[in-house]
Amino acid sequence: MTPSTRQLCLLLLYLALVPVVAASITKSTLLIEGGLLAQDALTTLVSRLLHGHNLLLVTDEHSQRQLDVGRVAVTAGASHTPVLLASQQIFLHTAHSAHHTQGSLLTAILLFHDDPTAFLLPLADNKHWNPSYLVLFCLNPHLNTTTVLSQPVVQRSRFILLFHQGVQASHTRLLIYTPRPVRHDVWGRSVIKTLLGVWSPDQFHSRQALFPARFHDFGGQVVKVPILCYDEPFVYFDKKGGCMGAYIDVVEIVAHKLNFQAAYMQMDEIVWGVKRNGIWKGLFGELMYKGKDLGINTQNIDPDSIREFDWVYPQWESSFGIILEVPQPLPQWRNILYPFSPLTWGLVFVTTTVVSSALAFLLHKQHHTSDPIGIALKVAAVLLGQTMDDRKVSMPWARVWLMFWWLVVEILAVVYTGNLVAVLTIPAYPSRIQTIQELATSHYIPCMADYGGIVPEALKSSDNPTLNTLGKKLFLDKNLNTLDPYGFLLSKVHAGTHALIVSLDYLIFTQHKKKVTRSTYIMNDKLYKGYTTFFLPPNTPYTAILSNHITRLVETGIMAKIVEIHKGSLFGEESQVRGDGVLNLGHLQGAFIVLALGLVAASLTLILERLI
């Protein structure tokens, strides 16, 4: 090779290497510039904007080499901000306390250069992972971060920020994004990456300004709501076979405010929600395993449900009522005795005996009256409306005695007559069972429909002897008729053998629907008084948003008004009347029996007087 040829080759090689070297230098410069920019942004975040929060800083291997994360941790410590620093692998294989995985005072910062999917997928198995604030730092400008934001485990957080390096005009900039919900499009996306701006240390002055609200607008997203239309007045069938109710109205109000569409899905099986053998059934199963978003049927708060599901602020007070058949009226011939209780009758008898006997005794001892027994009988006979010749009692003190006695008799006669009118027109009944203790010791068998509620197991496992007794006696109807879920059990109630346990609001509705408001009654004592709420799948990011709006409806009285409107449309006019309220011969049996006994006694007295 000649010298001129060698020089030409070297020149060509130089010209070929210049762009490569220049590009390499530019890339190194951009990487250094991007690293410094990310380092500065992290330092500003932990020292100023996130001050007072617990910090979790998780890195991958590449980001550890690119940034001085130790310096970031030292900066956080200098500002008295607690921070936990861990790599992805160490964090996945180490148990952490709750304040390092969830809560409104936790900010988790994930630093990554490579695709973090391999870290996020196993992290999704951690049910306790749910930091309210999540910051994603992507140091790779070419990485598709939309797929990262769409990860379900990422979407658990209520507030999410993405810092992503971008190159504009040969300068590295740190762009800030947040994911917002949208209705699923043709590409299957449920979130859209929204640009908030370019990072500037002076742009944000507080945590509230840094983290924008994600769910002020759901973007037309569909919220799937499983429902059981046997929950009057909250959710029930309309005339077209669909469902309506107070809680559906509430959801529609919130949906209009937050711009989402509620898709109501009727369940085939009547199972409210219960955990059996570690598996959730019914409505809770729909939320936990089948991708449903919101459960609105009446659900009482219990330890298992609030521990494993998200729930909004309780909006309605509820309990389980117990309905029994009204006892048969007492025999009408005993109406003559009903105005007074047995104790009152006893006191009247004792008082009459003492007053008449004492007066006759004193008159006999002090004034030597010849017929003390006759005087005692005449004084007592005043109670029966018999007149007495007071001239035979001439002593002043005895007349005062008689005056007070006659006043007492007059009062007793007026009270008795007034109560007698009421008793004769209104049937008298035996005392009703009104307490749980009385029910447990009675012959009644408590019964329920087996719709997957918490009451049967709660009664059987209760440490309270009375409740445990009810649990042992409890009869569960497992053959539910969807057209008439409580028809069979109500027939047992009408037979006077069973006591039906149902949610109080539904129990009142059932009384009106079956037109048994007069023939049945609800006990004064209630079971498991508490509050009902809406439930959502665990780690739902918009739980607090829904809770705030529903609480607003409760506080303003709108919720109560909606419920009352639906109750009014369901209950309508009372259709079971008490009766015509007129007297008949049956009502007067007691009076005629007393008259007959009086005539017999008078006849016997007359015969004895004639014989003697």
Side-chain angles (χ1 to χ4, degrees):
M1 181 180 294
T2 61
S4 59
T5 304
R6 185 182 298 108
Q7 291 177 355
L8 179 61
C9 290
L10 291 174
L11 178 62
L12 293 175
L13 179 63
Y14 173 77
L15 293 175
L17 289 176
V18 166
V20 176
V21 174
S24 177
I25 295 174
T26 302
K27 182 177 181 181
S28 299
T29 303
L30 292 177
L31 287 174
I32 295 173
E33 185 179 359
L36 293 175
L37 189 60
Q39 184 87 32
D40 178 68
L42 267 177
T43 303
T44 302
L45 286 176
V46 301
S47 62
R48 182 162 58 88
L49 296 177
L50 300 180
H51 177 71
H53 263 210
N54 297 321
L55 294 183
L56 171 65
L57 188 58
V58 181
T59 64
D60 64 2
E61 294 183 3
H62 200 133
S63 62
Q64 285 181 347
R65 295 192 300 267
Q66 191 169 347
L67 298 182
D68 187 356
V69 292
R71 179 184 171 187
V72 175
V74 171
T75 303
S79 62
H80 304 287
T81 300
V83 59
L84 174 65
L85 176 62
S87 66
Q88 292 179 356
Q89 293 302 317
I90 292 177
F91 185 79
L92 286 177
H93 296 90
T94 306
H96 301 281
S97 59
H99 67 274
H100 282 140
T101 57
Q102 61 183 334
S104 58
L105 295 178
L106 172 66
T107 299
I109 303 175
L110 304 184
L111 286 171
F112 56 92
H113 181 276
D114 302 323
D115 188 349
T117 302
F119 166 70
L120 296 176
L121 289 179
L123 183 63
D125 296 332
N126 185 349
K127 297 180 180 180
H128 302 292
W129 172 261
N130 187 15
S132 293
Y133 298 86
L134 178 63
V135 179
L136 303 173
F137 258 94
C138 180
L139 304 179
N140 184 351
H142 306 293
L143 186 65
N144 181 8
T145 52
T146 301
T147 58
V148 177
L149 291 174
S150 299
Q151 291 286 341
V153 68
V154 172
Q155 286 299 312
R156 292 180 185 179
S157 297
R158 181 178 175 183
F159 300 98
I160 302 174
L161 279 186
L162 169 66
F163 288 80
H164 195 186
Q165 290 185 7
V167 179
Q168 293 181 353
S170 300
H171 293 286
T172 301
R173 294 185 178 184
L174 205 54
L175 305 178
I176 308 176
Y177 300 90
T178 191
R180 299 192 187 278
V182 295
R183 188 172 182 177
H184 287 274
D185 53 25
V186 293
W187 294 280
R189 296 181 301 181
S190 59
V191 297
I192 186 170
K193 188 169 70 174
T194 304
L195 179 64
L196 300 178
V198 179
W199 164 256
S200 172
D202 301 327
Q203 183 179 357
F204 305 100
H205 303 283
S206 65
R207 187 187 305 114
Q208 290 74 17
L210 179 64
F211 291 93
R214 296 174 55 214
F215 295 100
H216 66 280
D217 188 323
F218 278 56
Q221 200 172 45
V222 175
V223 174
K224 290 175 281 187
V225 184
I227 54 175
L228 287 168
C229 302
Y230 306 93
D231 192 13
E232 288 86 352
F234 305 108
V235 183
Y236 57 94
F237 286 106
D238 58 22
K239 296 180 180 179
K240 298 179 180 179
C243 290
M244 59 185 296
Y247 285 168
I248 290 181
D249 290 349
V250 169
V251 171
E252 289 301 318
I253 292 174
V254 178
H256 178 75
K257 180 70 175 179
L258 297 179
N259 188 24
F260 67 82
Q261 298 180 23
Y264 303 102
M265 304 175 180
Q266 295 187 36
M267 297 176 56
D268 297 328
E269 187 179 9
I270 305 179
V271 180
W272 234 246
V274 65
K275 194 174 186 180
R276 293 173 179 167
N277 300 322
I279 304 297
W280 285 102
K281 303 292 185 180
L283 287 168
F284 284 132
E286 297 288 322
L287 297 176
M288 181 67 79
Y289 312 117
K290 298 184 179 180
K292 302 304 189 297
D293 302 311
L294 177 64
I296 65 172
N297 279 99
T298 303
Q299 295 283 6
N300 286 72
I301 297 174
D302 67 89
D304 284 339
S305 59
I306 63 174
R307 182 173 56 250
E308 299 195 31
F309 292 87
D310 283 9
W311 46 285
V312 304
Y313 192 82
Q315 73 270 18
W316 197 258
E317 186 176 3
S318 181
S319 60
F320 288 89
I322 305 173
I323 189 171
L324 298 96
E325 181 76 358
V326 173
Q328 291 298 316
L330 295 172
Q332 291 182 339
W333 62 266
R334 293 171 55 185
N335 284 349
I336 199 72
L337 300 175
Y338 295 155
F340 288 162
S341 67
L343 177 60
T344 304
W345 279 119
L347 291 176
V348 169
F349 176 79
V350 171
T351 302
T352 303
T353 303
V354 170
V355 169
S356 58
S357 300
L359 179 60
F361 176 78
L362 291 174
L363 289 174
H364 179 68
K365 287 296 183 182
Q366 294 185 10
H367 302 282
H368 306 287
T369 55
S370 59
D371 188 14
I373 296 178
I375 293 177
L377 291 175
K378 291 178 180 179
V379 172
V382 174
L383 189 64
L384 301 176
Q386 300 294 320
T387 59
M388 177 182 177
D389 188 2
D390 60 343
R391 291 177 295 179
K392 294 183 179 181
V393 182
S394 58
M395 287 66 68
W397 66 268
R399 286 178 172 271
V400 173
W401 186 298
L402 286 176
M403 180 184 68
F404 279 105
W405 171 240
W406 291 340
L407 287 175
V408 171
V409 168
E410 185 67 23
I411 293 173
L412 287 174
V414 171
V415 172
Y416 177 82
T417 304
N419 286 347
L420 180 62
V421 173
V423 169
L424 290 177
T425 54
I426 300 176
Y429 294 90
S431 59
R432 299 179 179 182
I433 294 176
Q434 296 289 7
T435 66
I436 301 297
Q437 179 68 40
E438 292 173 343
L439 179 64
T441 56
S442 70
H443 72 278
Y444 287 100
I445 301 174
C447 61
M448 290 189 70
D450 187 17
Y451 55 79
I454 64 172
V455 174
E457 186 60 33
L459 289 175
K460 294 176 182 178
S461 61
S462 176
D463 295 330
N464 185 297
T466 301
L467 297 180
N468 189 262
T469 300
L470 289 181
K472 293 178 179 178
K473 295 170 60 178
L474 184 67
F475 168 74
L476 284 179
D477 179 17
K478 299 181 180 296
N479 300 317
L480 295 185
N481 182 354
T482 56
L483 299 178
D484 189 9
Y486 290 95
F488 173 72
L489 294 180
L490 279 175
S491 68
K492 295 289 188 180
V493 171
H494 289 313
T497 58
H498 288 65
L500 177 59
I501 302 174
V502 188
S503 176
L504 184 59
D505 291 290
Y506 188 84
L507 191 58
I508 296 173
F509 160 75
T510 302
Q511 267 194 311
H512 285 75
K513 179 181 179 181
K514 297 294 184 179
K515 302 179 181 179
V516 292
T517 54
R518 297 295 182 188
S519 59
T520 61
Y521 72 97
I522 298 175
M523 284 174 42
N524 291 336
D525 275 5
K526 306 296 186 294
L527 283 172
Y528 301 113
K529 295 181 180 179
Y531 293 89
T532 62
T533 184
F534 294 168
F535 284 91
L536 300 93
N539 301 313
T540 299
Y542 50 81
T543 299
I545 307 299
L546 291 182
S547 183
N548 291 340
H549 284 79
I550 293 172
T551 302
R552 183 61 177 164
L553 294 178
V554 174
E555 292 175 343
T556 55
I558 296 176
M559 172 80 78
K561 183 63 176 178
I562 293 174
V563 173
E564 289 304 316
I565 290 174
H566 282 275
K567 281 184 177 181
S569 64
L570 283 171
F571 295 165
E573 296 293 333
E574 176 57 69
S575 57
Q576 189 174 7
V577 299
R578 179 177 297 169
D580 53 15
V582 299
L583 290 175
N584 55 45
L585 290 178
H587 293 135
L588 303 178
Q589 286 178 358
F592 283 109
I593 290 174
V594 171
L595 176 60
L597 292 175
L599 291 175
V600 171
S603 300
L604 291 175
T605 303
L606 179 61
I607 293 173
L608 289 174
E609 288 179 349
R610 294 286 183 173
L611 293 176
I612 296 174

